[in-house]
Amino acid sequence: MLKEETLSNEYDLAIIGAGPGGYHAAIRAAQCGAKVALIEKNRLGGTCLNRGCIPTKALLASAHYFEKLHDAEEFGISIGDCKVDFSKVVERKNKIVNELGAGIANLQKSWKNDIYQGYGKILGGNAEIGFEILIQGDNAEEFIVAKRVIIATGSTPALIPNFNVDHVRILTSDDILDPNFNVIPENLLIIGAGVIGCEFADIFANFGSKVTLLEYLPSPIAGEEPMIIKELKKKFDLMGIKIVTSQNVLSVEHTGSNVKAITCSTSVPINEIEDAEKSTYESDYCLISIGRNKLSKDLGLEKLGIMTNRGAIEVDPATLETSVNGIYAIGDVTGGLMLAHVASYEGDVAVANALSSLTQFQVKPTKTNYRAVPSTIFTSPNIGTVGLKRKEAKELGIDLYVGQFPYQSLGKAKCMGENGLLIILADKYTLQIVGASCIGEGASELIAEITLAMQHGLSVEDLTKTIHSHPTLSEMVLEAAEAVVGRAIHKKGRPVAHSLKEVLLEQLVYEY
Ligand code: NAI
């Protein structure tokens, strides 16, 4: 479709924020023929590319390379001493980030999207006449008008005043991923053993830091399957990473010579904290990773009447439209699942709905579907999950069959020297897959097959009837699916009860 002739500052769609939600949406909209303005106050790519997924994965790749070298002897290879040149690790990370950033700029250019560098604020308007947006750059202000708007401004590390983040020794993930940060701390204290805390613990322990994680809850990565958490803890233990749970961190302070954190047990009631027994943790550096806050301030939301809830922009969960007709919000700023790929997916949905309401585009409206959302924790081994955990299924009243398969029983994994396990949960009556969790080499990739199966309502039977190449790690999926109905080949047999399971098992056998 040809783009309509308009004034240079008039757009079909303006997108505020060029992270994986915003830049993806901009390209999708251009593919539909829309004239698009993409507004970004910082660098293209947002948190994911500049201060999140990509730089972390670049550091992890070096860390895991180094970790593998330690095992070389076991594989029959003598390499002598090897050491880390962290400046080069950081240089490599920065190069990857810069190259991918330039790639996004080129892609936008190829789709003829206009990029505005500056802070975007919606001044007023409505879906009939369009919305006026002010863009405040370093040296100038610009105004544009857009028929539809998508807000994709993301999130920022959550801070607590008592934690005294000084960005020098008490850091957020933004600081530790800064292009100029190139220190391997001798001792690293991490507050918060969630996704970010565990990924950085893994990276820096591999590079030689002595890492301690302080966690408020009774467990690290508390939302995961208990068996997966147990495996990660086992590995962290081997790496010398100390995890202290049920810790109420009262303060973190940079004393000049080091960083000091004071904690007490979470079992102490608030009014008794002053007199309670305290613990002190000292380190060279401290990373604060206790969650993220949504970036929704100063966007003009109040004036327009866009509803927010504790910073999260409220949207219709199906259409992603805000309380103002014609304005949509996607990704972290909505307070949903804070994952880059969810933001990109929501970009597709918001673009379809925004453009479908403009007559010149032949785009159909659509609704979100979060049936199968994969997520990964990039520790070594990594953790991949999709759908429900056992506890969640129980809460929903779903009766389950559970299949588990260990890496140690798989030929390919054994050759690679990898440990871990894959768990598949299936509805007891339909054998439809309702969730899966995996810890081990390639878990993030293995979970993709199960995600596809879940998205399309397939059963474990469908998985077992699919030929998987041998010897590959993908056979983990086949064996775990077969384990659900008690017929994994490389798992010891067990009597099958006279139950529906037996009936289903017979069906599986006779259909071959
Ligand atoms: P998180 O919510 O995963 O973990 C924060 C942890 O800090 C929780 O375990 C919480 O109990 C703990 N905590 C909170 N306040 C505390 C306190 N005062 N003292 C001690 N512990 C405290 O948040 P995180 O790790 O900061 O990640 C932020 C978001 O970014 C998450 O939604 C995550 O899913 C996303 N993310 C995803 C990644 C991935 O997909 N691989 C990588 C990094 C982040």
Side-chain angles (χ1 to χ4, degrees), residues 123-237:
L123 298 179
N126 59 45
E128 296 299 313
I129 57 168
F131 298 93
E132 192 185 12
I133 300 172
L134 162 69
I135 300 144
Q136 292 168 304
D138 281 344
N139 306 312
E141 289 187 344
E142 286 181 272
F143 294 88
I144 62 168
V145 174
K147 293 176 190 155
R148 298 288 177 267
V149 179
I150 295 177
I151 302 171
T153 43
S155 63
T156 187
L159 302 176
I160 291 179
N162 275 6
F163 289 1
N164 297 302
V165 171
D166 62 0
H167 307 288
V168 179
R169 290 299 184 102
I170 305 174
L171 312 169
T172 66
S173 54
D174 285 3
D175 302 318
I176 224 162
L177 294 172
D178 186 277
N180 297 314
F181 184 86
N182 65 0
V183 182
I184 300 175
E186 205 175 313
N187 292 285
L188 176 63
L189 187 64
I190 301 180
I191 317 281
V195 182
I196 295 182
C198 285
E199 288 187 359
F200 280 106
D202 186 77
I203 292 173
F204 283 97
N206 268 319
F207 286 142
S209 298
K210 210 165 171 305
V211 179
T212 303
L213 282 157
L214 298 181
E215 168 58 45
Y216 188 86
L217 296 175
S219 166
I221 49 167
E224 301 301 332
E225 288 283 1
M227 287 183 77
I228 300 283
I229 298 172
K230 197 170 146 204
E231 285 289 313
L232 185 73
K233 277 161 83 174
K234 215 160 65 184
K235 176 69 195 302
F236 273 13
D237 204 36

Side-chain angles (χ1 to χ4, degrees), residues 53 57 160 163 191-197 199 214-217 219-222 247-249 289-292 332 337-339 341 375-378:
C53 324
K57 263 82 264 175
I160 291 179
F163 289 1
I191 317 281
V195 182
I196 295 182
E199 288 187 359
L214 298 181
E215 168 58 45
Y216 188 86
L217 296 175
S219 166
I221 49 167
Q247 289 301 297
N248 187 351
V249 183
S289 49
I290 54 168
R292 296 182 65 87
D332 287 9
L337 293 163
M338 289 195 173
L339 297 167
H341 45 282
S375 68
T376 302
I377 305 176
F378 291 94

